[in-house]
Amino acid sequence: ESEASALEGFTLTGGIGTDTEKESLVGGGICCLEGSRPTLRNLIVVFNAATYGGALYCINASPTVEDSTLSWNSVTCGGGAYCDASSPVLIRCKISGNKGTYASSGVHSKNGSSPLLLGCTITGNTTYMGGGVDCFGSSPVLVNCVLAGNFARQGGALYAAGGSPVLQNCTVSGNSAEEGGGLYLSGSVSTLANCILWQNEPGSPPPVDSHCLVSQDPLFVNPGQYDFGRFKSLIIGGNQGEMPDFVVEEPDLHVLPESPAIDAGSPDGSPEDDIEGNPRPTGRGVDIGAYERPPVLEASF
């Protein structure tokens, strides 16, 4: 399938994946194989189960997924998306409440994959390695993304092993793990620019890259509340299971007017818009994090 093959406006639910010769089930919601690059838009892909790729499975494929919800899927790896030698593009997608037992329950990437995530929100996912995103010998790029309230044994927000993840103008907050609440980097070269890392437990080592806010309170409007022991019973792929229900109070990760993130970023590589489509910059400089502070209009009399 080419980009002209489009699926739009559907809810895909109750899937259990496609059987493969490897004795595993792949793609509970959507399965993209060998060179396919369809356009997937305005979809709700929820309550599916598979071994790999609860909502979306890609092998040697490059679909574009826009304005879609990939949530409440149960897998071994890749609750939201599983990428094997693939380069999908996810734009303004919500990836939340997925449960994995091994690698990322949000977005899993391996074997030279290079998924591109633009303006995505990744919250409340849980697994063993990389609650939000992981990479194994791959190079995911996240721009204007929020990773919040995810839990894993290693790497609450991001786990990287032998890969080269890039985070540009991202907000990483309120994630938890036994090791590396925000980031767990093992033999990987990461690039972080204009990112906020705050209230991840345990704290991640400060990145050496440019203009990241890691030691000052960014002064969010509301950092939110999470309970990583809270689960709820749901029917996933026809079976009842316990799924994460970590978000007790929804966060509002816009920053207050006195935030040290305002005007403190670097314009180098910064996106033209923020996660909500607002232009950057609106002040003297680019703001750090996924959200750009709206300009303050002066009253005239």
Side-chain angles (χ1 to χ4, degrees):
E1 291 82 9
S2 71
E3 296 88 342
S5 297
L7 183 68
E8 182 171 1
F10 284 87
T11 294
L12 308 177
T13 187
I16 58 170
T18 299
D19 196 5
T20 68
E21 296 178 358
K22 298 180 181 180
E23 297 182 353
S24 58
L25 296 169
V26 301
I30 302 166
C31 187
C32 295
L33 306 176
E34 307 304 336
S36 65
R37 52 187 194 279
T39 300
L40 309 170
R41 186 183 296 120
N42 293 323
L43 301 178
I44 299 174
V45 192
V46 296
F47 306 132
N48 303 286
T51 311
Y52 306 120
L56 172 66
Y57 176 88
C58 303
I59 183 166
N60 296 317
S62 303
T64 297
V65 189
E66 300 178 17
D67 299 307
S68 295
T69 296
L70 315 175
S71 298
W72 308 114
N73 300 287
S74 179
V75 291
T76 299
C77 299
Y82 181 100
C83 311
D84 185 348
S86 298
S87 302
V89 179
L90 284 74
I91 304 171
R92 298 180 300 274
C93 289
K94 179 180 179 181
I95 303 169
S96 64
N98 298 291
K99 180 182 179 182
T101 57
Y102 179 61
S104 181
S105 52
V107 177
H108 170 74
S109 61
K110 60 184 284 189
N111 291 339
S113 293
S114 54
L116 174 61
L117 283 67
L118 303 174
C120 293
T121 301
I122 305 171
T123 59
N125 303 284
T126 187
T127 191
Y128 189 86
M129 294 183 293
V133 176
D134 71 25
C135 63
F136 293 84
S138 58
S139 52
V141 176
L142 287 72
V143 180
N144 284 336
C145 290
V146 168
L147 296 92
N150 301 288
F151 176 82
R153 300 299 178 188
Q154 297 177 320
L158 170 70
Y159 178 97
S164 53
V166 175
L167 279 70
Q168 174 75 53
N169 281 94
C170 292
T171 297
V172 182
S173 174
N175 302 281
S176 181
E178 292 182 2
E179 298 180 82
L183 313 177
Y184 185 96
L185 307 176
S186 175
S188 64
V189 179
S190 62
T191 301
L192 283 77
N194 293 352
C195 292
I196 295 174
L197 285 82
W198 187 247
Q199 290 186 332
N200 302 291
E201 297 294 338
S204 304
V208 297
D209 301 88
S210 67
H211 298 87
C212 290
L213 194 66
V214 297
S215 58
Q216 290 178 278
D217 188 342
L219 300 178
F220 295 131
V221 173
N222 182 356
Q225 294 184 16
Y226 309 101
D227 179 355
F228 297 109
R230 195 173 83 159
F231 290 79
K232 63 182 175 182
S233 182
L234 296 171
I235 303 297
I236 307 295
N239 297 311
Q240 188 167 355
E242 295 296 308
M243 298 296 289
D245 189 24
F246 298 155
V247 182
V248 177
E249 183 178 341
E250 288 286 346
D252 182 347
L253 301 181
H254 294 83
V255 296
L256 296 171
E258 59 272 25
S259 169
I262 294 176
D263 296 337
S266 169
D268 296 338
S270 179
E272 295 182 355
D273 301 318
D274 75 351
I275 189 173
E276 296 177 319
N278 300 312
R280 291 185 188 269
T282 56
R284 295 186 304 273
V286 172
D287 293 352
I288 298 175
Y291 296 93
E292 187 78 7
R293 179 75 182 174
V296 177
L297 301 179
E298 297 183 0
S300 59
F301 300 95

